[in-house]
Each structure stands twice: as C-alpha cells, then as structure tokens.
Amino acid sequence: MAALISCNCYSKCISPALVPKGSSFLRTQNLPKFSPLKHAQCQLQNNEQKGRPFSLKKSAISIVLAAELLINGIPSLDWSPNAYAANPPFPDLSVLISGPPIKDPGALLRYALPINNKAVREVQKPLEDISESLKIAGVKALDSVERNVRQASRALKQGKTLIVSGLAEAKKDHGVELLDKLEVGMEELQLIVEDRNRDAVASKQKELLQYVGDVEEDMVDGFPYEVQEEYRNMPLLKGRAAVDMKVKVKDNPNLEECVFRIVLDGYNAPVTAGNFVDLVQRHFYDGMEIQRADGFVVQTGDPEGPAEGFTDPSTEKTRTIPLEIMVDGEKAPVYGETLEELGLYKAQTRLPFNAFGTMAMARDEFENNSASSQVFWLLKESELTPSNANILDGRYAVFGYVTENQDSLADVKVGDVIESIKLVSGLNNLVNPSYKIAG
C-alpha cells in the first residue's frame, strides 16, 4: 500500500514518524509527517523528474496555502492507503472561498443525478433546509421548520406540472404516484409542526426527501452517455445500486456489529462502481478485515498474498480500472488524468469528498490507472480535506456514499471483519458482469 500524501523526496523534506505497532497491513518503512511548505518544493522536484512543465501559478498557490496551514495548524498524516495522491497540490485559492458545501450524502446524491428540472429542486431545497432549522434550540426551531414546509408545499403546488413533464415516459406513472405521496406527506409534516412535535420532524423529513429523490431518479431516461470505447467491455454500473456492508466490531462493548447502507453512483462513475459491484457479487470482500482505521479513513480491499488487488481468475492478472472523474457541468467522466493534470484547477467534481463516509478507490501513488479492489471511506473532516476545497477531489475516484449508520464508521478499527457486502438493489444496472463468466 502506498502513500496518502506522498513525495518521492520525503527523505529531504519530511521528518519521519514511526509506524504504529500492530499495523500488520503496513508494509512500508517509517511513515512521514507532512510539511506543507516543503511539500510545495517536492511538487516542483517531482514535476521536473516526470518531465512536467513548471507552473508558477500552481506552485505559488501551493506555497501560499502551505503558509496558511502553518499558521492555522499543520495536520500530521501518519499513513496512507494504496492510495491518495502522488503529489497532491492544494486547490486554487478561489475555491476556498466558495459557498457553504453540501455535506449530507443524500443531498449530494440527489444533486448528482443527470437531470435539469428547476421545479423539483425548488421543492427539494426547503425540505433539506429543515436540517438547519432543527439546529435551533428548543421548540423555536419549529417556527423555522414551518416556513420550510410552507415553501416546499408552495413550490410543489406551483411546479407540479413542470415536474411531471420532466419524468421519463416509461417512469411517469410511478413518478406521479410518488408526487401524490409527497403531497400527503407534507400535509402530515405540517400537522406535526402545528402539534409542536419536534421529535417527529426529522424522520418525516427523511421520508419526504426519499420521495423527492425517487421522483428525480424517475426523470432519468436511460443512461445519459456512452462510456469511452476502451472501457466499454468492463463491468459497468449504468445507474445506481445499493449495498449493505455488515461489519463485525471487536472489543467494543457498545457495538458488536453494524450494517452500513452504501449507495453507489454509476451515473457519474460507471466503471468504478461497476468494478465494485462485480467484486461484491464475487463475495470478494466477505470475511476480509478492515486494514486501516486511523481517524482519517477506513480502508479495506487488499487481499492476502503478494497481489494488492483483485486477481481475475480468467487472466491470472490483477484487474485494474482507470481513474474516473465526473466534472460538474460535463456530460461524461474524464479518464486517466487528475483534474490538476488537465489544468482544471477550479473545476468541481460531481461526487465530491464532502460527506462523512464518502467512498472512493485507492490506488498506487504514482499510477492514476492502478485502482483494483482497495476502497476507502473518508472520515470528515480534517484540515487537509475541508469540504469543497480539499486535496482529494479530482484526484481519486469517488463512486458512492454511506447513507445509513455512517457515524459508526468512526468506531470501526483495524482487524474488524466485514462479514458480508450484499447488493440490495440495482443489479439490473450492472452490465458486462465478469462474475457470471468466471464464477
């Protein structure tokens, strides 16, 4: 497994930190501490070694942000997965002053759908805002919630015709049925607020947002683009799927096991999500231990033996997949290059590292297209990964989010066992499944 924040001139730039004992999954030498200013110097050296052109702008940004980190506190990264960035540059300064990020995984998934229907978004937004309203102390929160509900109800009443017109023809009846349930549900939520029953608000909000998300999915008419030809025959997830990951937790009197619901987004990462679903159907992860859990990420997927990924029995070679990044505003993902390498310093990714439990592929530090089976879940948020301005977006392929029990990821430890990962929906969206061929 390779480094999270790494630099091939560490010996000159960074003071070493000892690998924690008992970390049998670590196969490397002493681990480095991260020095932002010296990391910027390392960037220049690495780019020269790789024959990349010198970028004064990028280097200046790195150095300025490094100084900011020194002033505000330098995080120490003591280990890294097979993994994050070869030479992670810091994001453009302008990104750091963007608006409040969306951190809720359900909201991120809704906004990531390939639809363009303003009317349904105007229903969605005030329902999501209820979460902020509930942060107000006591029953005063209910006054704000009531305003949210009225705004959503008004938007639904005024925009229902436009919402229905946006439904895919084959899904229209189902979508209209969901809208009817949404209307009834909002009336019920209004009664909850009038009864001043604060405790019942969050569960009803979750139900209504599920209806909204399902309506939005009914607006997607087929798969919206062609995957690049060179990857077209790989396992692909053309749509969404959900899995339940059951983890046996050791040495925790408060938690013996936990089931994490994970939604996989094939609309924005069809190759990456398809690879994972294919491995799930092979039971690849069943019985595998958690191999890293350090408060920064939880990681697994490194099989026993010399291989660091899935060995395809039909070829007896490690199956790898390309780096796959969907840029916000684009119709199809880019492959094989980071957004930094493409010069897209200000671009936002459709699936950002914003949520606690963001799921992404680990890879070799210097090989963009080396991901295979190792996956990680980011535990938010550290100084190096502020939402909407972190060093991971555009460099690692996000393909899903933990949507249930994500907070319990913080309780998972090295050595805890994944009893099973089971597909609960979306198998019909998997094409070219290799597990059916090789068993």
Side-chain angles (χ1 to χ4, degrees), residues 412-425:
V412 172
K413 304 179 300 301
V414 172
D416 290 347
V417 177
I418 299 173
E419 293 189 349
S420 64
I421 303 182
K422 294 183 179 180
L423 194 69
V424 295
S425 67

PDB file of all heavy atoms in Angstrom, residues 412-425:
ATOM      1  N   VAL A 412     -15.152   1.838  13.776  1.00  0.00           N
ATOM      2  CA  VAL A 412     -14.526   0.678  13.131  1.00  0.00           C
ATOM      3  C   VAL A 412     -13.019   0.742  13.327  1.00  0.00           C
ATOM      4  O   VAL A 412     -12.412   1.809  13.224  1.00  0.00           O
ATOM      5  CB  VAL A 412     -14.884   0.651  11.629  1.00  0.00           C
ATOM      6  CG1 VAL A 412     -14.093  -0.419  10.901  1.00  0.00           C
ATOM      7  CG2 VAL A 412     -16.383   0.410  11.456  1.00  0.00           C
ATOM      8  N   LYS A 413     -12.421  -0.423  13.602  1.00  0.00           N
ATOM      9  CA  LYS A 413     -10.982  -0.493  13.880  1.00  0.00           C
ATOM     10  C   LYS A 413     -10.308  -1.511  12.970  1.00  0.00           C
ATOM     11  O   LYS A 413     -10.969  -2.380  12.387  1.00  0.00           O
ATOM     12  CB  LYS A 413     -10.748  -0.897  15.340  1.00  0.00           C
ATOM     13  CG  LYS A 413     -11.421   0.005  16.366  1.00  0.00           C
ATOM     14  CD  LYS A 413     -11.163  -0.473  17.773  1.00  0.00           C
ATOM     15  CE  LYS A 413     -11.680  -1.885  18.019  1.00  0.00           C
ATOM     16  NZ  LYS A 413     -13.129  -2.021  17.790  1.00  0.00           N
ATOM     17  N   VAL A 414      -8.991  -1.409  12.883  1.00  0.00           N
ATOM     18  CA  VAL A 414      -8.206  -2.404  12.165  1.00  0.00           C
ATOM     19  C   VAL A 414      -8.448  -3.774  12.801  1.00  0.00           C
ATOM     20  O   VAL A 414      -8.399  -3.918  14.021  1.00  0.00           O
ATOM     21  CB  VAL A 414      -6.703  -2.058  12.219  1.00  0.00           C
ATOM     22  CG1 VAL A 414      -5.865  -3.197  11.640  1.00  0.00           C
ATOM     23  CG2 VAL A 414      -6.439  -0.768  11.470  1.00  0.00           C
ATOM     24  N   GLY A 415      -8.723  -4.756  11.970  1.00  0.00           N
ATOM     25  CA  GLY A 415      -8.988  -6.095  12.463  1.00  0.00           C
ATOM     26  C   GLY A 415     -10.459  -6.432  12.563  1.00  0.00           C
ATOM     27  O   GLY A 415     -10.823  -7.614  12.642  1.00  0.00           O
ATOM     28  N   ASP A 416     -11.332  -5.419  12.569  1.00  0.00           N
ATOM     29  CA  ASP A 416     -12.760  -5.700  12.485  1.00  0.00           C
ATOM     30  C   ASP A 416     -13.039  -6.369  11.146  1.00  0.00           C
ATOM     31  O   ASP A 416     -12.348  -6.120  10.152  1.00  0.00           O
ATOM     32  CB  ASP A 416     -13.577  -4.408  12.609  1.00  0.00           C
ATOM     33  CG  ASP A 416     -13.532  -3.817  14.011  1.00  0.00           C
ATOM     34  OD1 ASP A 416     -13.080  -4.528  14.932  1.00  0.00           O
ATOM     35  OD2 ASP A 416     -13.932  -2.655  14.189  1.00  0.00           O
ATOM     36  N   VAL A 417     -14.053  -7.216  11.115  1.00  0.00           N
ATOM     37  CA  VAL A 417     -14.252  -8.082   9.952  1.00  0.00           C
ATOM     38  C   VAL A 417     -15.515  -7.698   9.189  1.00  0.00           C
ATOM     39  O   VAL A 417     -16.588  -7.502   9.782  1.00  0.00           O
ATOM     40  CB  VAL A 417     -14.356  -9.558  10.384  1.00  0.00           C
ATOM     41  CG1 VAL A 417     -14.644 -10.466   9.179  1.00  0.00           C
ATOM     42  CG2 VAL A 417     -13.056  -9.999  11.061  1.00  0.00           C
ATOM     43  N   ILE A 418     -15.371  -7.591   7.882  1.00  0.00           N
ATOM     44  CA  ILE A 418     -16.537  -7.427   7.011  1.00  0.00           C
ATOM     45  C   ILE A 418     -17.169  -8.808   6.839  1.00  0.00           C
ATOM     46  O   ILE A 418     -16.632  -9.657   6.114  1.00  0.00           O
ATOM     47  CB  ILE A 418     -16.138  -6.851   5.644  1.00  0.00           C
ATOM     48  CG1 ILE A 418     -15.511  -5.468   5.812  1.00  0.00           C
ATOM     49  CG2 ILE A 418     -17.351  -6.771   4.716  1.00  0.00           C
ATOM     50  CD1 ILE A 418     -14.936  -4.891   4.542  1.00  0.00           C
ATOM     51  N   GLU A 419     -18.272  -9.051   7.528  1.00  0.00           N
ATOM     52  CA  GLU A 419     -18.922 -10.357   7.407  1.00  0.00           C
ATOM     53  C   GLU A 419     -19.496 -10.550   6.012  1.00  0.00           C
ATOM     54  O   GLU A 419     -19.432 -11.648   5.454  1.00  0.00           O
ATOM     55  CB  GLU A 419     -20.017 -10.492   8.470  1.00  0.00           C
ATOM     56  CG  GLU A 419     -19.477 -10.554   9.893  1.00  0.00           C
ATOM     57  CD  GLU A 419     -20.554 -10.894  10.900  1.00  0.00           C
ATOM     58  OE1 GLU A 419     -21.755 -10.875  10.533  1.00  0.00           O
ATOM     59  OE2 GLU A 419     -20.207 -11.194  12.052  1.00  0.00           O
ATOM     60  N   SER A 420     -20.056  -9.476   5.452  1.00  0.00           N
ATOM     61  CA  SER A 420     -20.605  -9.589   4.098  1.00  0.00           C
ATOM     62  C   SER A 420     -20.880  -8.211   3.529  1.00  0.00           C
ATOM     63  O   SER A 420     -21.077  -7.239   4.273  1.00  0.00           O
ATOM     64  CB  SER A 420     -21.920 -10.392   4.107  1.00  0.00           C
ATOM     65  OG  SER A 420     -22.919  -9.703   4.853  1.00  0.00           O
ATOM     66  N   ILE A 421     -20.839  -8.129   2.217  1.00  0.00           N
ATOM     67  CA  ILE A 421     -21.377  -6.986   1.483  1.00  0.00           C
ATOM     68  C   ILE A 421     -22.380  -7.561   0.489  1.00  0.00           C
ATOM     69  O   ILE A 421     -22.020  -8.373  -0.360  1.00  0.00           O
ATOM     70  CB  ILE A 421     -20.298  -6.172   0.748  1.00  0.00           C
ATOM     71  CG1 ILE A 421     -19.226  -5.675   1.722  1.00  0.00           C
ATOM     72  CG2 ILE A 421     -20.932  -4.991   0.026  1.00  0.00           C
ATOM     73  CD1 ILE A 421     -18.151  -4.822   1.072  1.00  0.00           C
ATOM     74  N   LYS A 422     -23.620  -7.156   0.632  1.00  0.00           N
ATOM     75  CA  LYS A 422     -24.688  -7.708  -0.204  1.00  0.00           C
ATOM     76  C   LYS A 422     -25.383  -6.610  -0.994  1.00  0.00           C
ATOM     77  O   LYS A 422     -25.696  -5.551  -0.460  1.00  0.00           O
ATOM     78  CB  LYS A 422     -25.703  -8.441   0.669  1.00  0.00           C
ATOM     79  CG  LYS A 422     -25.148  -9.683   1.346  1.00  0.00           C
ATOM     80  CD  LYS A 422     -26.217 -10.414   2.146  1.00  0.00           C
ATOM     81  CE  LYS A 422     -25.663 -11.679   2.801  1.00  0.00           C
ATOM     82  NZ  LYS A 422     -26.690 -12.397   3.591  1.00  0.00           N
ATOM     83  N   LEU A 423     -25.615  -6.916  -2.267  1.00  0.00           N
ATOM     84  CA  LEU A 423     -26.336  -5.991  -3.128  1.00  0.00           C
ATOM     85  C   LEU A 423     -27.824  -6.060  -2.789  1.00  0.00           C
ATOM     86  O   LEU A 423     -28.406  -7.142  -2.762  1.00  0.00           O
ATOM     87  CB  LEU A 423     -26.100  -6.369  -4.588  1.00  0.00           C
ATOM     88  CG  LEU A 423     -26.482  -5.353  -5.653  1.00  0.00           C
ATOM     89  CD1 LEU A 423     -25.550  -4.154  -5.593  1.00  0.00           C
ATOM     90  CD2 LEU A 423     -26.422  -5.983  -7.039  1.00  0.00           C
ATOM     91  N   VAL A 424     -28.422  -4.907  -2.513  1.00  0.00           N
ATOM     92  CA  VAL A 424     -29.844  -4.889  -2.159  1.00  0.00           C
ATOM     93  C   VAL A 424     -30.702  -4.269  -3.255  1.00  0.00           C
ATOM     94  O   VAL A 424     -31.927  -4.458  -3.260  1.00  0.00           O
ATOM     95  CB  VAL A 424     -30.077  -4.153  -0.822  1.00  0.00           C
ATOM     96  CG1 VAL A 424     -29.416  -4.900   0.313  1.00  0.00           C
ATOM     97  CG2 VAL A 424     -29.573  -2.717  -0.872  1.00  0.00           C
ATOM     98  N   SER A 425     -30.088  -3.556  -4.184  1.00  0.00           N
ATOM     99  CA  SER A 425     -30.825  -3.019  -5.326  1.00  0.00           C
ATOM    100  C   SER A 425     -29.841  -2.624  -6.411  1.00  0.00           C
ATOM    101  O   SER A 425     -28.664  -2.376  -6.137  1.00  0.00           O
ATOM    102  CB  SER A 425     -31.669  -1.797  -4.924  1.00  0.00           C
ATOM    103  OG  SER A 425     -30.849  -0.710  -4.555  1.00  0.00           O
TER     104      SER A 425
END
